[in-house]
Amino acid sequence: MTETTQTTQTHTTPSDDPYATYRPRSPEIRAAMGALRGLRQDLFEDAFAYRPLPRREPNGRFTRRLTGRKREYATWSRHALVGAGGALAVLVSLADGSGSLTGLVCGVLALAPILLTLVRPAGAFWLSLVSTTLVAAVGTAWSDWPWLPGSFVSHLVVLTVVAIRTRPRTAAWMWLLTAAYGFVAETAFSWGHYSTNVSPMLVFSALILLAVTVWHIRRQAEEEVTAQQTVTAHERSRRTLLEERTTIARELHDVVAHHMSVVAIQAEAAPYRVENPPPELEKAFATIRENAVAALTELRRVLGVVRAEDYEAPDTPQPTLAELDGLLANVREAGLPAEKVVTGAVRELPQGVELSAYRIVQEALSNTLRHAPGASARVEIGYVLGGLGLRVVNGPPPNPALVKPSPGAGHGITGMRERVTMLNGEMTADPTQDGGYEVAVFLPVPMAAVDEGEA
């Protein structure tokens, strides 16, 4: 028996791009090709693309201090500076030409690339080199070559504006091209001139472009730091919110577990309170008890998920409004004069509402101790038909100089808002006219819930 072996050959179709399969062999070649791509992208591709210089923001760091028309005029300050540079180039050209027609023509040629930087920055650089050549051909100076005085000022202004409006890489390429232009003009066309100003141009332009590059780098670093600070603040706020919600979940566990335990016990004992209960009733109570026990088990698992590693279960029951007098006694011992005012018919509320109300008052008094040492506080509790009203207000600190900034500022307010939101309540927290602070909360309590709490 003979075996036949089939060989499959793969044919590759050559690409239309001759450089598609080319791979640089060394990091130096890759760096050089990257630099050439940068030159093409910055100064050749869309060199004359329309990019108008934007106005300053009316609410900027400097313009927001002004009012009326002054602020409107200040938004054009960038354009005014560019125009001032163009006017300087024109004046230098006129002075060099002694006010003649030649000096005026040289001034116009020097002004054109500066004005072009307002709308087409990359194209303005090329126009500046062309303008320099034309001015050198039209002008009469014999000592300055290849940049006549007006062109010298104009080219420096163009380099500065274009470098500010683009990127540091573009500034480096413009300096190299300026050096190449000066080298060609000095070596090939310097006949008839006693000296050249290529070296001063390269030195001054290098200093200016270096300063602009440092400004770019610093500005980019500031933007990155600002963005990072924004992200950090957002993450810190989000983490604080999650921590507060976790704390609330832990505290409410005991309340919910108590209710579920009562349901399980009552479901187990209910059949014995009725003589000869029907089987359907016994089965229904057994199902209720099984569901209550299962709910308790799942509740313990949830608590295990939200419990921190260093969390220890409290040995005492969760506090209620009945223990508010003890809290006020503690803050009085800490140096905070506090009084309590109760209005309405005092009644027992659902445990979740009682616990949240106690924690809100506790946090508000803690904030007073932290941010207004020496001030007095007043706690008002109002039992109304539709729920519970809370108001904690403190006066201004007697000595504001003793108030130290707190790294956890705002976390207490976040916790209070989470508790109020959980109960579908309303809350306001604002400074008072006399320099104090007020926290006002309303927690709605349906009448059915009140009746169950009293039962």
Side-chain angles (χ1 to χ4, degrees), residues 219-239:
R219 183 182 179 184
Q220 183 178 2
E222 290 178 350
E223 291 177 353
E224 292 178 355
V225 169
T226 302
Q228 186 62 37
Q229 289 177 346
T230 303
V231 173
T232 302
H234 177 72
E235 291 296 330
R236 185 186 299 113
S237 176
R238 183 172 178 271
R239 185 173 62 250

Side-chain angles (χ1 to χ4, degrees), residues 250-427:
R250 294 196 203 107
E251 293 179 347
L252 291 180
H253 166 266
D254 293 341
V255 177
V256 179
H258 168 72
H259 288 302
M260 295 305 298
S261 299
V262 172
V263 170
I265 294 173
Q266 290 180 346
E268 184 177 7
Y272 299 100
R273 297 183 178 181
V274 180
E275 184 177 356
N276 298 323
E280 294 81 2
L281 185 60
E282 292 183 354
K283 184 178 180 180
F285 280 118
T287 302
I288 294 174
R289 183 182 182 281
E290 292 175 0
N291 290 335
V293 173
L296 280 173
T297 303
E298 296 298 332
L299 190 61
R300 294 190 184 96
R301 291 176 181 174
V302 172
L303 182 64
V305 172
V306 301
R307 181 186 293 123
E309 295 180 358
D310 57 349
Y311 174 74
E312 295 182 1
D315 298 330
T316 58
Q318 296 293 352
T320 61
L321 289 176
E323 304 174 29
L324 199 57
D325 291 335
L327 174 63
L328 294 176
N330 291 334
V331 297
R332 292 190 189 103
E333 293 179 358
L336 174 64
E339 61 173 335
K340 182 182 73 170
V341 178
V342 180
T343 58
V346 179
R347 61 183 183 275
E348 185 179 355
L349 301 176
Q351 286 184 296
V353 177
E354 294 261 350
L355 173 60
S356 296
Y358 179 91
R359 293 301 187 195
I360 290 171
V361 174
Q362 183 183 39
E363 187 61 42
L365 294 176
S366 298
N367 287 342
T368 302
L369 284 170
R370 187 183 304 114
H371 302 292
S376 59
R378 177 184 175 91
V379 179
E380 300 177 2
I381 304 176
Y383 291 87
V384 295
L385 186 61
L388 178 70
L390 299 174
R391 181 174 179 268
V392 182
V393 58
N394 62 267
N399 191 355
L402 297 178
V403 180
K404 298 180 180 180
S406 175
H411 293 185
I413 298 294
T414 301
M416 286 189 281
R417 291 192 186 279
E418 283 299 307
R419 294 181 186 276
V420 173
T421 303
M422 176 189 63
L423 298 173
N424 297 322
E426 299 177 359
M427 171 181 167

Side-chain angles (χ1 to χ4, degrees), residues 35-46 173:
L36 292 177
R37 282 194 298 269
L39 171 62
R40 182 181 63 184
Q41 179 181 357
D42 295 340
L43 293 177
F44 287 96
E45 293 182 355
D46 298 329
W173 278 120

